[in-house]
Amino acid sequence: MRKTIAALAFALLATAAAAETIEQRIAPCLACHGEKGQSETENTPSLGGQQAPYALIQLFMFREKLRTFEPMNEMAKALTDDDLRTFSDFIAKMPTPAPPADAGDPARMQRGQALATQHRCNSCHNPDFSGKENVPRIASQREDYLAKTLAEYKGNSRHGYDGSMADVMAPITPEQIADLAHYIARVR
């Protein structure tokens, strides 16, 4: 599976390198992350509405292998600093993802909201979870991706550019992670 993903990433990278416009160059990214800012690919984040500084940092981290995920590392390795800025600016202008059509399970929504309040998620991610500067937008993010990412922070297997998320996630149980992801994915 990883070899297939790496081969796809290499093919997409070759296509992107030959492209001329930003729309042509970013098309391989949108194949997984969603053409209109909303990913339909399992465990893959929606990029729409992410702050340009946050996107820039993430692309830089992938390029420098400070954040490792082979397909992204392969895609980002040939990007120049100017490319990183161009891509992050493009991402910031994409439409924000829509929350799922269902309003969510009321009990899980209530538990998730209480957890978000208790752990002050709105302090860094804004009250509407829209993110700011180098903090990601998490509102209406894919629920599966949120749960995966929060679990990685809890398990200390996902390293960000600061350790605050690992500290925030330390006391949260796997069941609470599921409720928190359920809630944040559906914030309206």
Side-chain angles (χ1 to χ4, degrees), residues 4-45:
T4 303
I5 291 172
L8 174 62
F10 182 76
L12 292 172
L13 183 64
T15 302
E20 292 186 24
T21 68
I22 181 60
E23 289 81 7
Q24 292 170 324
R25 293 188 68 205
I26 206 161
C29 306
L30 303 182
C32 294
H33 292 284
E35 289 184 23
K36 293 186 170 78
Q38 188 151 359
S39 173
E40 299 205 15
T41 306
E42 184 178 352
N43 287 315
T44 302

Side-chain angles (χ1 to χ4, degrees), residues 173-188:
T173 68
E175 294 78 20
Q176 290 173 322
I177 287 173
D179 287 340
L180 193 54
H182 185 79
Y183 168 70
I184 293 170
R186 288 167 178 78
V187 168
R188 298 194 184 305

Side-chain angles (χ1 to χ4, degrees), residues 153-176:
Y153 278 124
K154 177 169 179 58
N156 207 25
S157 63
R158 178 165 181 162
H159 304 286
Y161 40 88
D162 74 37
S164 60
M165 280 302 298
D167 293 339
V168 169
M169 294 307 298
I172 299 178
T173 68
E175 294 78 20
Q176 290 173 322

Side-chain angles (χ1 to χ4, degrees), residues 135-149:
V135 177
R137 171 187 183 80
I138 55 175
S140 304
Q141 186 56 264
R142 290 183 56 90
E143 183 176 350
D144 59 348
Y145 180 75
L146 285 167
K148 173 183 155 304
T149 300

